[in-house]
Amino acid sequence: MVRLLIPISILALLIIVATVVFGPLKHVNLSTLFSNPSYAAATSPVQMGIQAGQPIDDNGNILLTNNVISRMGESGAAWVRINFRLGPYTSDTPQFYATYDKIVDDLRSQGFQVMGLMSNESWPGNQSDWTENNFEHTGKDGYNSYIDQFGYAFSRMAKHWEGKITYWEIWNEPNAYSISSPGGFYDGNTFIYPSNFAAMLAHVYSQVNLYNHTNVKIISGGLFGHNMGGYNSASSGESYLNSTYDMGVNKTGKFAWAKAAIGTYPLDAVGQHLYLDQVATLNNSGFSAYLDNVHRVVTRWEGASAKKTWMTEFGWNTKSVNENIQSNNLSNALTIINSKSYVAGALWFQIDDNQYNADMRFGLYRTDFSKKPAWTAYNNYALRQTNIGKTASGSIITAIANYYNANGGQAANGTPYDNGGSAFAHQWDFGYVQDFKGGSIGPCIIFDTGHRVQQGFWATYISGNNHALLRFPINEAYGYGAGTRQDFQGGYMTWDPINNVRVYPY
């Protein structure tokens, strides 16, 4: 809902857009696996995130203050999504970068992973600019001067924050409009025709992956899903995403070009926004179906794709439902989200009730900063990511927790995830381990020996029979000749630029 920068109620906005029509198994102890079938079926808890609304106001004042960051941290969130709106800046000026540098650095210093949003507020222009040359009404390829400059600006931002922001969402609710006219004309909100959106994704993806080699991941803009006309596939965003693929592959060729040039269609994940049952108790089956609908488009065009869904916005407004319904809906939604193996993350909208707009009461905190019941519901799920070193039974493996906290915390290690043995600290043949991802070092394992295996050594360690041969690490990786070495209970591994990673069991 980052588009809501004017005093308009979310319920009114939802009514406006009601007519949208585009709508190898790792470290499993085999004896445990066969004695406990549910162990093998464990699903990974999603990455939990949150957002605070506008990061800066129209005068360039930072609204994402340390107090707000502190409340987000208290909630247990691991991710924060930032809309890189220009505010008072005419473009991505040096002052623009300086302002957002402070925001990004403040968040990362508190252990958050940052997701960037490149929206219509990130580059100057209007709807007629970004929908120019659309195939739907002009027969052109969807590319235009706005998309051209938008993509170059994104490339500069992605390179500037490379290493600090890995995931970028491109556009916000491309299928949301307020006006429709006969003949398939749409206007208002952030609507962009599928042919334009396909051109935009191809442009930004090629900028970072083909021309400038920037290490980022692209999430296609959060598709707006609602059920004001009833639950149906078009209102889930399925139709719009399918049209984007169809335009890019069969009509304009933008997706086809990207796949030929880069080896993939121009997105690494799909963003989804679900604002369902905004005045009632959540229809669980409908919420589940909407997730499936959008993911089905990806598998339809890309086969059994590893590209996942990021729920970059969902929420309920206590202006429209009572606080207990908000809390129950949040819990039910997260239960469903966590049951979907293709969902990577869920970001709640938002941390605080709006101080200045009585119609915006989506917060986990009230305007006096007291906690709503939804705070507890959210925190209970977030604890699955923040329970560092904790086993499923609640006991703490001190060596894992101490190592995590003393060696970069969440910023470096990321958050726990299920890589075959549960997201909690768990036994793996020779002792306790816990898996982490999402941090600056990439996927890693922390062991009860008080050491970590990461990066190239991590990939080799979990391959084949290497774990059984090497057992657990007894030190950190250290300089060794022209490369690096790490020692284990049963051998050691080395890396050098000529031989890459080699395993030497005793």
Side-chain angles (χ1 to χ4, degrees), residues 360-372:
M360 292 287 286
R361 295 291 186 259
F362 285 85
L364 301 180
Y365 291 86
R366 304 179 185 93
T367 54
D368 63 359
F369 306 125
S370 59
K371 298 171 183 175
K372 296 181 185 178

Side-chain angles (χ1 to χ4, degrees), residues 142-160:
Y143 197 79
N144 54 55
S145 60
Y146 178 89
I147 290 173
D148 182 70
Q149 294 304 307
F150 177 96
Y152 294 134
F154 166 70
S155 181
R156 294 190 295 269
M157 294 183 201
K159 181 60 72 173
H160 180 84

Side-chain angles (χ1 to χ4, degrees), residues 181 477-478:
S181 304
Y478 58 92

